[in-house]
Amino acid sequence: MSVVTKLHFILYVRDQEAALAFYQSVLGAPPTLHVPGMTEFEIGSGAVLGLMPERGIAGLLNLREDEAPRGGIRGEVYLVVTSPEAYHRRALAAGARELSAMAPRDWGAQVAYCLDPDGYVLAFASPIPEGLGD
């Protein structure tokens, strides 16, 4: 049986440079890779957030123009972090639109939601310490 050693989440973005600036500001760290067609950020151990231009994935998969990914809410990046409020504030300052302020959720986490400039939902979460969610 094979074992996954690293997981890449790749978001298709309209403008690679704008997405780089946004995520560098939100994550508070530089990318580990930035070349034409791909930007990557290490997210914890074994996970990578990749940013690929829409036209890049369309070309890679030989998609017709009308098949290429476009706008709208397209997915969610859910990050469990030690300071979700700080990440949420940085995302808003970098141009995200708030969807839901930090609040306790019924699955035992406190989470804030926003929408990045490419239509992806960003969730910044941390567990609710036992006894505080009762």
Side-chain angles (χ1 to χ4, degrees):
M1 181 164 103
S2 66
V3 176
V4 175
T5 59
K6 189 170 269 197
L7 181 59
H8 287 245
F9 296 95
I10 300 174
L11 305 181
Y12 306 140
V13 299
R14 286 182 291 274
D15 180 326
Q16 184 180 353
E17 295 302 316
L20 161 69
F22 177 82
Y23 278 94
Q24 186 167 309
S25 178
V26 171
L27 298 173
T32 53
L33 173 73
H34 182 61
V35 297
M38 180 59 72
T39 299
E40 293 181 350
F41 293 90
E42 294 283 335
I43 306 290
S45 67
V48 173
L49 176 63
L51 307 171
M52 178 184 281
E54 292 170 343
R55 67 188 172 283
I57 191 61
L60 184 67
L61 300 178
N62 294 316
L63 299 176
R64 296 186 321 260
E65 181 66 27
D66 64 326
E67 294 176 310
R70 299 271 185 251
I73 293 179
R74 305 180 330 167
E76 178 177 320
V77 176
Y78 189 99
L79 298 172
V80 178
V81 295
T82 56
S83 277
E85 300 92 345
Y87 279 83
H88 188 63
R89 280 192 305 273
R90 286 197 303 263
L92 297 176
R97 181 170 57 93
E98 186 167 57
L99 299 175
S100 178
M102 181 64 62
R105 309 299 172 163
D106 60 3
W107 57 88
Q110 58 179 3
V111 187
Y113 290 90
C114 61
L115 192 65
D116 86 356
D118 283 290
Y120 293 98
V121 173
L122 294 179
F124 302 108
S126 67
I128 297 173
E130 282 200 37
L132 292 183
D134 300 332

